[in-house]
Structures are given as structure tokens and as C-alpha cells.
Amino acid sequence: MLRQSLSLGAILVLAACGMNGNYRDTSVQMDSVAALDIERYTGKWYEIARFPNGFEEGCVGVTAEYAKREDGRISVTNTCRKDTLDGPVEVAEGIARIASPGQLKVKFVQWLPFAGDYWVLDVTPDYSVAVVGEPSGDFGWILARTPTLDDAQLQDALSVLKADGYDTSKLVYPEQPS
């Protein structure tokens, strides 16, 4: 049984890796924010843009909710609607830990030994917009406290991704409720 579980885990990890693309020039230096107020970061965020990935395929109306846990870690609840804003709801729950300022390690499958990098590359002073990425360039998101951003806010977020070596032409913009 353990061997079957490990084989299934390996297949899932390999499948997930194969479904992602590298959207970042990794020769470009990438830094997370020097300080992240996790209390202010917690709460609900709307996904404004993302780089394509297998686990969010067909997702619209995507939100991420972060909450402090009693053990010092952070609960992560990602919600999406499949294909349309009134489509079926899918929820993924994970747990994050702070690895260093502005950097989290997130696990959605607790029995796997791997945790994903989640780097906050930028957050506005009022914590209304955040830009998230990770060193390999397979993932990246623009998040906001509201379902939409004005053009200036979006351009600022895009410039952060570009400065960190991301090819922003590959971003997808999931539909959000108005």
C-alpha cells in the first residue's frame, strides 16, 4: 500500500510539473518584499491574472483566502468556479509557513514532502494589490482585494513581474464577478 501511495504521489508531482511552463528568465535576480505584515496580508484576495498552470485550468472567479492559525502557520483556501462564474465550485485547502520575510512555503497535499515556493514580490502600502511569484518561473499571480483593478494598478503590477524576468504576455486574466 505504501508503495502504491508513493507511486501515485510521484505520478501526481510529475504530472503537475509537466503541465506548467517556465514564464521567467531565471537569470534575472528576483527578490521578495523585505517585510511582509502577515496580519495585513491575511484575508480574501481576488486573482486578477495568473500564468497558466494545470491546477487552475478552466478556473474563473478565483479567490485565495489566508488566515493565521493557532500554530503560527497560515491556512490557504483557494476557490474557483469551473468554466463560468456560476459553474461548479472547486476548493483547494493548504497550509503555509513563513520561510523568510516575504516568502512562504505552501503545501496542498500534506503527506507529500514537497512544499511550493510562494514569494510576495510586491504589495502596495495599503495591502490592496499583491504580486506573487516563485524562483523557477513556473507560477505567478496578480492578486487584489477587489475583483478588478484600474489600468494604472494593473500596469504597476505588470511592471513588477517584468522587472523580475517574467514574460507577462503569457498571463491569463480569469473572469471575475463585476
Side-chain angles (χ1 to χ4, degrees):
M1 182 65 176
L2 178 60
R3 179 175 284 165
Q4 288 175 333
S5 294
L6 290 175
S7 296
L8 175 61
I11 290 168
L12 291 172
V13 169
L14 290 174
C17 291
M19 295 181 79
N20 300 322
N22 187 305
Y23 304 108
R24 180 178 174 281
D25 176 355
T26 57
S27 70
V28 175
Q29 175 71 30
M30 185 173 106
D31 295 309
S32 61
V33 295
L36 181 67
D37 182 340
I38 203 67
E39 296 293 332
R40 292 182 69 198
Y41 197 79
T42 58
K44 185 174 188 176
W45 292 89
Y46 292 87
E47 184 181 271
I48 303 302
R50 69 172 175 260
F51 289 99
N53 62 67
F55 55 85
E56 286 186 285
E57 191 171 329
C59 283
V60 298
V62 182
T63 60
E65 256 183 276
Y66 306 96
K68 288 272 295 194
R69 294 167 36 118
E70 287 185 18
D71 64 5
R73 296 182 297 169
I74 300 139
S75 67
V76 180
T77 304
N78 291 341
T79 305
C80 93
R81 295 225 173 231
K82 286 307 271 184
D83 302 318
T84 65
L85 289 175
D86 45 348
V89 174
E90 291 189 358
V91 175
E93 295 189 351
I95 299 173
R97 66 176 174 78
I98 298 169
S100 64
Q103 299 178 16
L104 305 176
K105 290 285 192 176
V106 181
K107 286 178 100 173
F108 284 95
V109 181
Q110 298 308 308
W111 55 268
L112 284 176
F114 310 106
D117 287 317
Y118 179 104
W119 288 21
V120 179
L121 306 176
D122 188 61
V123 64
T124 56
D126 64 356
Y127 279 67
S128 64
V129 180
V131 180
V132 177
E134 53 84 39
S136 76
D138 286 338
F139 304 102
W141 295 269
I142 297 173
L143 306 173
R145 297 294 188 175
T146 58
T148 60
L149 289 179
D150 66 37
D151 192 52
Q153 292 171 306
L154 180 59
Q155 292 308 314
D156 287 347
L158 291 170
S159 68
V160 170
L161 288 171
K162 288 176 186 173
D164 284 311
Y166 278 94
D167 178 358
T168 59
S169 72
K170 306 294 186 195
L171 283 167
V172 295
Y173 298 82
E175 183 180 7
Q176 287 285 358
S178 43

